Amino acid sequence: MHEFKNFINGEFVTTASGKTFENRNPVDNSLLGLVHEAGQPEVDAAVKAAKAAMQGPWGKMTQAQRIALLDKVANRINERFDEFLDAECKDTGKPHKIASHIDIPRGAANFKAFSETLANHPTEAFKLDTPDGRGALNYGHRTPKGVIAVISPWNLPLLLMTWKVGPALACGNTVVVKPSEETPATATLLGEVMNECGVPKGVYNVVHGFGPDSAGAYLTEHPGVNAITFTGETRTGEIIMRAASVGLRNISLECGGKNPGIVFADCDMDKAIEGTMRSAFVNCGQVCLGTERVYVERPIFDEFVQRLKEGVEKLKLGVPEDPEVDFGPLVSQEHKEKVLSYYRLAVEEGATVVTGGGVPEMGDALNAGAWVEPTIWTGLPDDARVVREEVFGPCCHIRPFDTEEEVIELANDTKYGLSAAIWTENSARASRVAEAMEVGICWVNSWFLRDLRTAFGGAKESGIGREGGVHGLEFYTELKNVCIKL
Ligand code: NAD
């Protein structure tokens, strides 16, 4: 039986309590292994190790040495690509075709992307005039924050975790990671890579477990943690924010969304269909930036719905290893129940089911897996729960609109504010509408096109703060002003 152990101070460890929980493969519900659930003693040990590492060789390294080490980590992930791929796809059920293009390469790239920002970002400097005529020199000096708690979700496990660990370490911090209980594998494997690359012990630690009364809560409430970066649901973000308020610890929250796609009649229809197909259905719809509300200008509404339906009905469902497969199961049985409850609710709320809406027949070997059909609805009222709440599944609701003003109002009529995608060939309109969107990230004629130097984060209830490029620098370092009287 495979065991997923905690990684503390450079060693893989079980737990004092002996508590474990099961990790299952969502493709067929088979048991992948047992995960050792960290209790308070293990979280204490991880935080202590992370704190001690700040005083050890890691804390004394130059920026260039740290960057070189992280470069090695990125290269080693790429050398062990197939192992990471296999681990990620078993945990999540996602097709190799997707994880080999997105999850694993980005997981490695996250250890390199920040280095250039760090190396090239100037610190501020001001010369101050003083009455004695000799002046004073002010300059900004950045120091690491210390021990960063990283709480990550299950939808893009390695990618989203390293998106935080990469910059945190590049800035000289140490980390304690609490990966999602659904996806413990790649964070654990990364522990091996850290040791292989000679990253000093205690710099990267992993504690496994759940949120409340488990590793997540113990870690975020731990007074030894200096800052918390979290990606996950908005409700969890609120709990973590409360925990962080004790001791005034800094937080970065990347939370949920109910993202609009806006398709104008002057769009390039092929691009809009292709982009919406991806934004609503890739990764089985489990992408925070995904489009769950699509607004289509009335003259092209029927054609758009028909073409999206045809696209969805061509998606090939199947096991991750099959290179032809576009679409895997949801991450877990629990999430399947949640998504199916929204499928039922949509019908109760008066939706027309354009396609899908149920559970596909996958055959005896796979029927126990967390499969659901990709689904399109039309006809729901704007106040329907399915239009307002994040489903986080492979589904979208499509609604017609008549004017630019109307669609801006509809798109912004949500408590969330993560992302939006606009499809139009009119660039003046594109920038006008993009500027009116109450979101952190807005794509025009594309979706999920990421430049890692740009700000990433959400408005409204989709989060607090921005990560990426220089914005990460703000969170992962403490900026001190040094004033020298000349
Ligand atoms: P979740 O909030 O349930 O869990 C995320 C992490 O928080 C997990 O590791 C979990 O164990 C931990 N956690 C849960 N309760 C906790 C507590 N009380 N204290 C400390 N830790 C706790 O989210 P999920 O279901 O894993 O992920 C899906 C959600 O994440 C969706 O809402 C999605 O939109 C969001 N998400 C956002 C982004 C973004 O960048 N904005 C990216 C991916 C996913």
Side-chain angles (χ1 to χ4, degrees), residues 27-29 362-369 371:
V27 168
D28 56 6
N29 207 30
M362 299 300 297
D364 286 349
L366 301 183
N367 272 343
W371 301 90

Side-chain angles (χ1 to χ4, degrees), residues 291-329:
T291 305
E292 289 193 5
R293 297 179 293 143
V294 187
Y295 299 101
V296 181
E297 204 167 355
R298 200 173 300 272
I300 61 164
F301 180 79
D302 290 342
E303 184 192 351
F304 186 92
V305 172
Q306 182 57 29
R307 285 189 58 183
L308 202 69
K309 171 182 190 290
E310 286 162 13
V312 165
E313 289 173 355
K314 279 195 209 122
L315 285 174
K316 184 164 184 230
L317 280 62
V319 295
E321 299 77 16
D322 183 340
E324 304 293 314
V325 157
D326 316 286
F327 192 91

Side-chain angles (χ1 to χ4, degrees), residues 151-155 160 178-181 209-212 216-217 220 230-233 236 239-240 254-257 288 390 392 418 456:
I151 312 283
S152 50
W154 45 257
N155 60 328
L160 290 172
K178 210 298 282 169
S180 169
E181 54 274 29
F210 303 85
T220 50
F230 165 78
T231 300
E233 284 188 23
T236 314
I239 296 169
I240 288 178
E254 298 186 337
C255 299
C288 54
E390 182 187 47
F392 218 54
L418 189 55
F456 185 91

